[in-house]
Amino acid sequence: MPLNYYGFDDQGRHAVETQLGTGFEISVAEELESRIAAPMPLYLFDLARGKTESLSGEPSKQRRAQSVAYHPAADQFFVAYTFSDSLACVGHSQTKNQVRYVSAFELGLSYIRGVCAVGESDLLAVSGEFRGITLINAKTLAVVRRIDVPLYDSPHLTYLG
């Protein structure tokens, strides 16, 4: 997941407006980190064939990739985008190599940060920056359970079951 930042100033704001238009919003997470994230593409690398594929998605939802996880049972990659507060889902069985998004609001989270597969189950854990973990069904993207727990600005999740 490539990253690119601009300064938290008028020049940085203008650079992102050039890419997204004037309707984009500076997130609270950007204010906290004092930098603005540029939208960046998603890439899939096929090492066996030596090929790279750039996936078209919604650039406004692809700002500051934080965590990436592969879920074997769902055969999907999941990417947490903190500054756009979106979870990108890549490789869904009905939309192979297409990007779908779930908003943090739908997950009951703020500033999505961590993401990981929960063992061999159908579950995927997604965390907010300061509090909350939501378990979703990685195949259907439906919320299964929300867990209210303080996270103290933790960026990643790992399952140790």
Side-chain angles (χ1 to χ4, degrees):
M1 303 287 91
L3 296 170
N4 188 20
Y5 296 107
Y6 295 105
F8 196 75
D9 54 20
D10 289 339
Q11 185 177 3
R13 190 173 281 110
H14 177 72
V16 175
E17 282 178 354
T18 301
Q19 295 171 321
L20 296 178
T22 56
F24 97 97
E25 294 181 23
I26 300 284
S27 74
V28 174
E30 285 171 296
E31 290 179 19
L32 290 171
E33 292 191 14
S34 298
R35 56 186 175 176
I36 301 172
M40 300 299 290
L42 286 159
Y43 294 104
L44 288 178
F45 297 96
D46 184 336
L47 299 178
R49 291 186 227 154
K51 296 195 182 240
T52 302
E53 182 179 356
S54 177
L55 302 181
S56 60
E58 296 178 45
S60 65
K61 293 182 180 179
Q62 294 175 188
R63 298 178 56 235
R64 192 185 193 275
Q66 177 65 49
S67 296
V68 180
Y70 177 71
H71 194 287
D75 192 25
Q76 289 192 84
F77 289 94
F78 294 89
V79 183
Y81 284 99
T82 301
F83 286 180
S84 48
D85 234 359
S86 298
L87 178 68
C89 312
V90 181
H92 190 269
S93 59
Q94 287 129 8
T95 57
K96 192 68 176 162
N97 292 354
Q98 295 299 311
V99 184
R100 293 178 15 170
Y101 301 92
V102 178
S103 74
F105 181 80
E106 291 175 65
L107 300 175
L109 298 170
S110 296
Y111 318 120
I112 288 175
R113 293 285 291 238
V115 60
C116 74
V118 179
E120 304 283 323
S121 75
D122 286 346
L123 297 177
L124 181 83
V126 185
S127 67
E129 183 166 359
F130 298 106
R131 104 175 285 110
I133 295 173
T134 299
L135 300 176
I136 66 172
N137 181 305
K139 294 177 181 177
T140 67
L141 306 180
V143 172
V144 174
R145 183 175 178 202
R146 292 184 177 104
I147 303 164
D148 186 26
V149 60
L151 297 173
Y152 309 105
D153 198 17
S154 299
H156 303 288
L157 290 176
T158 300
Y159 177 74
L160 300 173

